[in-house]
Amino acid sequence: MIRTAAMQELGTRPAFDEPLEFVLRAVFPVPASWSERKRQQAITGDIKPGKKPDLDNIAKAWNDALNGVVYRDDSLICRMTLDKRYGPQPLVVCTVRPMPTFRDQHEVGLPSQVETKGKEAQR
């Protein structure tokens, strides 16, 4: 099911063949038996779903399904961000994108104007 959906979404685009970031969020339904107050705490993230299935098992299933379809090989994954939470609707959102470079994340540049002060200005 995951693999088929990925193939349809990708269409004719080739699989990634570069270092990647894998981001997955698993959203679980709030138990109907909970009070309204507790349900709101779950929706806002104050209560987390510390229950099965394990988050690493969910990620593994998605990783295996996307391997060879969305990316050439899962060895290309250099960063994984995983999140398990409650929400109004059960769903899994998975994003795979090229790994940002250091330069992308931290634009390093020199100031447009550098002031140099001599000994007289320091007195």
Side-chain angles (χ1 to χ4, degrees):
M1 184 162 96
I2 299 167
R3 190 175 190 83
T4 303
M7 291 169 75
Q8 290 174 348
E9 184 66 30
L10 216 55
T12 60
R13 291 177 285 178
F16 286 112
D17 194 12
E18 60 190 295
L20 298 170
E21 179 177 26
F22 181 98
V23 180
L24 183 136
R25 172 173 278 184
V27 180
F28 289 81
V30 179
S33 61
W34 286 6
S35 69
E36 186 58 33
R37 181 174 180 264
K38 193 171 180 181
R39 291 175 62 77
Q40 284 304 313
Q41 288 175 317
I43 295 290
T44 59
D46 293 334
I47 299 175
K48 305 287 186 203
K51 62 178 189 173
K52 293 199 177 277
D54 300 351
L55 185 56
D56 61 328
N57 292 338
I58 297 168
K60 176 87 171 112
W62 277 76
N63 190 1
D64 289 347
L66 301 180
N67 195 24
V69 175
V70 175
Y71 35 84
R72 179 185 52 79
D73 188 76
D74 58 359
S75 64
L76 292 166
I77 297 173
C78 295
R79 178 187 299 155
M80 282 186 125
T81 305
L82 308 175
D83 183 38
K84 183 172 153 180
R85 61 178 303 123
Y86 285 115
Q89 299 266 1
L91 68 121
V92 174
V93 178
C94 185
T95 304
V96 176
R97 57 184 163 236
M99 186 72 185
T101 64
F102 180 79
R103 188 173 303 278
D104 292 339
Q105 293 178 350
H106 303 91
E107 281 293 325
V108 178
L110 296 174
S112 59
Q113 183 179 6
V114 177
E115 292 184 16
T116 307
K117 296 182 180 179
K119 289 183 182 180
E120 290 183 21
Q122 294 176 358
R123 291 186 204 174

